[in-house]
Amino acid sequence: MAAALCPCRALLGGPRGVLRALGCPARGLAAHKETHFGFQTVSEEEKGEKVYQVFENVAKKYDVMNDSMSLGIHRVWKDVLLHKMNPSPGTLLLDVAGGTGDIAFRFINYVRSVRERQLQRKLKHHQNLSWQEIADSYQEEAVKPIGDSQVVVCDINKEMLKVGRQKAQHLGYSEGLSWVVGNAEELPFGDEKFDVYTVAFGIRNVTHIDLALQEAYRVLKPGGRFLCLEFSQVNNPLLSRLYDLYSFQIIPVLGEIIAGDWKSYQYLVESIRRFPPQEEFKAMIEDAGFLKVDYQNLTSGIVAIHSGFKL
C-alpha cells in the first residue's frame, strides 16, 4: 500500500528556457503569483524550477525508489491503468510526464499481445490457408509487432527522458516509441493528434493543473480518452493513519538511504497531500471539457484512476 511512493513524474512547470526552446509562448503563466511546493509557499516560477530539480535529482534512482517505497504495488496500479485503457492496434498514445517509460513499455506489450491474439484467431478461422500464407502472416507480425500503434513519451525533465531511453534500449523497445521534451501546460503538439492521453503520478507536480487538463483536451482527437493515475485521498480511517505515518516517517528516510536525497522525497510526500481529492479532481476534468468522467479507487483510495472522454 505504501506506495505513496512512486515519486511522481517530472512534469511541468520547468525552466522557462525549455519553453522558449520549444517555441512555446508561456501563455496563461502569470509571473510572481504564489503557489505551493509541498507544504511551502513559493512563487509559480520558483515552483517550476524546484520541481524540475527534484526530478533531476531522483531520475537515476527513480525506479528503485518506486519499488522500495511501494513494495512493488505501483506495477499493479500501472497494469490496471493499461487494462482500463484497453488499447487496440493503431492507437496513438501520448504519455505525459512519462519519463522512465513505465506506461509506454506496458502499452507496447499490451498492443503486441492483442496483435498476436488477432493473428491466432485469423489463422484458426482460415483452416485452408497454405503454409506460405501462414508463414507470411507471422513474418508480417515479426516486422510490425504493434502495427501502426505509436506512443510518444513527453516529459519536461531531460534526465528522466535519458533514463527512459536507456531502459528502452536495454529492454529492446524501439518500434513505435518516441521521446519528446515538453511541458504539460504547453504541449508541443498540434490539435487533435492522439487517441489517448495518459499521465501517471505526474499531474500533481503541475503548477497550473487546469492548463494541463486543457492541453490534454486540445491534443486529443474527438472520441479520445484522458486517463490519469495519481495518488488520492484514502477512504479507510485506520489505513489513512498508517499511511500518513509511513509516508512522513519512512519515505524520506528511504530517500536518504537509497537515493541520498531526503528533501526531494519529503516534497513528494507533501505534494500527495496537497493534491485535490477524487471528487474535486473529477470536477476539474469536467471543467476542461471532458465528458463521462469517472474514477476508480485502488488500494482504498491511495491512488485513483480518473477517466474522461472528448466527445
Side-chain angles (χ1 to χ4, degrees), residues 139-153:
Q139 181 61 33
E140 180 185 356
E141 176 69 19
V143 173
K144 297 193 72 177
I146 62 172
D148 296 323
S149 303
Q150 294 282 332
V151 52
V152 177
V153 180

Side-chain angles (χ1 to χ4, degrees), residues 12-68:
L12 320 347
R16 300 285 177 110
V18 175
L19 295 180
R20 287 194 294 271
L22 291 169
C24 300
R27 76 172 177 256
L29 299 182
H32 308 306
K33 286 189 176 180
E34 291 187 337
T35 186
H36 58 81
F37 175 75
F39 292 162
Q40 300 177 45
T41 298
V42 298
S43 70
E44 291 181 346
E45 187 172 36
E46 186 180 4
K47 175 174 179 174
E49 294 167 354
K50 283 179 173 290
V51 169
Y52 191 94
Q53 189 63 52
V54 163
F55 289 99
E56 191 168 61
N57 292 345
V58 306
K60 291 181 180 178
K61 295 292 185 179
Y62 181 82
D63 292 325
V64 174
M65 282 297 296
N66 280 354
D67 284 331
S68 299

Side-chain angles (χ1 to χ4, degrees), residues 233-246 273:
Q233 185 169 301
V234 179
N235 53 31
N236 180 302
L238 176 59
L239 179 59
S240 180
R241 288 194 291 272
L242 293 173
Y243 180 55
D244 280 345
L245 179 65
Y246 182 85
R273 300 313 187 276

Side-chain angles (χ1 to χ4, degrees), residues 125-161:
H125 288 91
H126 293 80
Q127 298 293 340
N128 58 342
L129 290 178
S130 68
W131 168 82
Q132 187 60 53
E133 288 171 322
I134 294 173
D136 289 345
S137 295
Y138 274 104
Q139 181 61 33
E140 180 185 356
E141 176 69 19
V143 173
K144 297 193 72 177
I146 62 172
D148 296 323
S149 303
Q150 294 282 332
V151 52
V152 177
V153 180
C154 180
D155 200 304
I156 201 171
N157 195 289
K158 294 179 181 179
E159 282 301 311
M160 295 288 282
L161 287 172

Side-chain angles (χ1 to χ4, degrees), residues 9-14 51-52 55 96-97 155-157 182-185 197 199 201-206 212:
R9 308 302 187 94
L11 226 159
L12 320 347
V51 169
Y52 191 94
F55 289 99
V96 175
D155 200 304
I156 201 171
N157 195 289
N183 186 320
E185 296 178 22
Y197 172 114
V199 55
F201 302 118
I203 203 164
R204 75 180 188 275
N205 295 303
V206 183

Side-chain angles (χ1 to χ4, degrees), residues 103-121:
I103 302 302
F105 303 152
R106 281 171 169 78
F107 171 81
I108 291 172
N109 291 342
Y110 196 100
V111 174
R112 280 177 177 170
S113 178
V114 171
R115 286 261 297 177
E116 178 64 24
R117 290 197 301 270
Q118 288 178 344
L119 175 60
Q120 291 176 356
R121 283 197 299 268

